[in-house]
């Protein structure tokens, strides 16, 4: 049965692939981006325009959709700025925690009535960095650890309302973000040893397709032969 699914960060990367996959199978996609231009060519039924750096605007943008039912919310949008704790600026801490955590919490909050009305599903695209943090990952890993906590709290709170919550913890897949992270670390990158964006999107789709008497709470995903993200030379 077709579902109504909201995907954040649907203009490129994993979010765009998800919007394409869901639309192709007949779902009504609500594509989110920070501006209309980012959604050019993205198949969708409706659009949600909101800059996640300014979460105070999310409630009004969502209210304008007048959504009574929402089957799934996929929290996909995110940013990663790599720097050690000693070198990460206050501005990047604020931006990263705002986009990756505060906006995610706010969007979840305002959409909960529509999700409850559909016994809906909230999917958090987390990261391996949400389970373990290493040197250089500081603000990104902190933000992903925070949305692990957010997802785990939400699951316990909403089980009685029939809302399902899944966190995906992918290692690395081929998008702008992965290329940028490798560049920031000065790490080698081998595209043949990274997961494709289509495979990660498929994992999200399968998560939503699970039988109604079960839910996948957490899914850890890695390429079969991962190339670790490691600086070629470490400065001290
Ligand atoms: N790629 C990987 O290897 C990897 C691994 C583990 C986890 N992840 C996670 O997977 C998710 C998707 O990543 P990706 O690789 O597809 O990243 P990506 O290609 O860099 O795309 C990020 C998306 O987030 C949107 N976004 C960023 N800041 C925003 C803001 N302030 N307001 C609205 N939208 C904003 C971007 O929109 P704009 O086009 O407007 O910038 C873009 O659509 C992220 O949560 C990431 O942390 C990725």
């Amino acid at each position: 049965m077709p579902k109504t699914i909201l995907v954040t960060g649907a203009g490129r990367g994993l979010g765009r692939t998800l919007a394409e996959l869901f639309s192709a199978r007949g779902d009504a996609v609500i594509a989110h981006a920070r501006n209309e231009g980012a959604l050019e060519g993205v198949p969708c039924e409706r659009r949600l325009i909101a800059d996640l750096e300014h979460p105070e605007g999310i409630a009004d943008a969502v209210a304008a959709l007048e959504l009574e039912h929402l089957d799934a919310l996929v929290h996909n949008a995110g940013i990663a700025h790599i720097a050690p704790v000693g070198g990460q600026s206050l501005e990047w801490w604020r931006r990263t925690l705002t986009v990756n955590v505060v906006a995610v919490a706010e969007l979840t909050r305002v959409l909960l009535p529509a999700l409850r009305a559909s016994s809906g599903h909230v999917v958090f695209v987390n990261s391996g960095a949400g389970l373990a943090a290493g040197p250089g990952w500081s603000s990104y890993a902190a933000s992903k650890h925070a949305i692990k906590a957010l997802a785990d709290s939400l699951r316990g709170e909403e089980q009685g309302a029939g809302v399902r919550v899944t966190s995906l913890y992918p290692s690395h897949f081929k998008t702008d973000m992965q290329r940028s992270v490798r560049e920031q670390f000065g790490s080698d990158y081998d595209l043949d040893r990274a997961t494709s964006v289509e495979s990660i999107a498929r994992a999200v789709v399968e998560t939503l397709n699970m039988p109604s008497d079960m839910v996948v709470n957490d899914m850890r995903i890695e390429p079969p032969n991962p190339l670790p993200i490691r600086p070629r030379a470490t400065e001290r």
Side-chain angles (χ1 to χ4, degrees):
M1 206 165 115
K3 296 174 191 280
T4 301
I5 302 177
L6 196 157
V7 179
T8 67
R12 60 190 171 93
L14 177 61
R16 188 180 185 105
T17 304
L18 283 169
E20 289 167 354
L21 272 180
F22 288 133
S23 294
R25 69 173 202 175
D27 292 321
V29 170
I30 304 171
H32 158 266
R34 67 177 114 191
N35 56 54
E36 293 276 354
L39 292 175
E40 203 171 313
V42 176
C44 61
E45 197 168 286
R46 305 182 68 185
R47 294 173 168 192
L48 172 67
I49 304 301
D51 185 343
L52 302 183
E53 276 193 48
H54 302 286
E56 58 280 2
I58 289 176
D60 284 349
V62 168
L65 292 174
E66 297 183 345
L67 271 185
E68 287 181 8
H69 296 271
L70 183 63
D71 296 302
L73 165 61
V74 183
H75 287 298
N76 162 76
I79 53 174
H81 187 261
I82 303 303
V85 176
Q88 187 64 294
S89 67
L90 181 57
E91 189 201 343
W92 271 111
W93 273 103
R94 283 204 176 115
R95 286 178 78 175
T96 306
L97 294 176
T98 302
V99 171
N100 292 4
V101 185
V102 177
V104 173
E106 174 66 353
L107 189 57
T108 306
R109 183 185 73 80
V110 297
L111 285 168
L112 264 179
L115 286 159
R116 288 180 187 136
S118 299
S119 299
H121 200 145
V122 186
V123 177
F124 292 82
V125 182
N126 202 305
S127 163
L131 297 172
W137 288 100
S138 61
S139 57
Y140 180 73
S143 73
K144 292 299 189 180
H145 274 68
I147 61 160
K148 176 188 186 298
L150 169 56
D152 291 345
S153 298
L154 182 70
R155 183 178 299 115
E157 290 158 10
E158 295 300 323
Q159 273 166 345
V163 175
R164 291 138 193 270
V165 176
T166 298
S167 289
L168 261 72
Y169 298 94
S171 163
H172 59 277
F173 53 93
K174 295 176 232 179
T175 61
D176 298 343
M177 179 182 283
Q178 183 56 219
R179 185 166 297 285
S180 161
V181 164
R182 296 268 174 178
E183 280 169 12
Q184 291 180 66
F185 266 109
S187 171
D188 291 329
Y189 187 22
D190 181 349
L191 285 170
D192 291 337
R193 290 174 65 183
T195 305
S196 72
V197 73
E198 291 78 15
S199 294
I200 301 291
R202 201 168 134 197
V204 175
V205 171
E206 293 303 327
T207 295
L208 297 182
N209 279 349
M210 289 292 161
S212 61
D213 59 353
M214 61 169 280
V215 57
V216 175
N217 290 341
D218 298 297
M219 190 188 286
R220 180 82 178 91
I221 304 170
E222 275 194 326
N225 180 22
L227 180 65
I229 301 173
R230 208 175 275 141
R232 287 184 206 103
T234 310
E235 288 177 27
R236 292 199 65 85

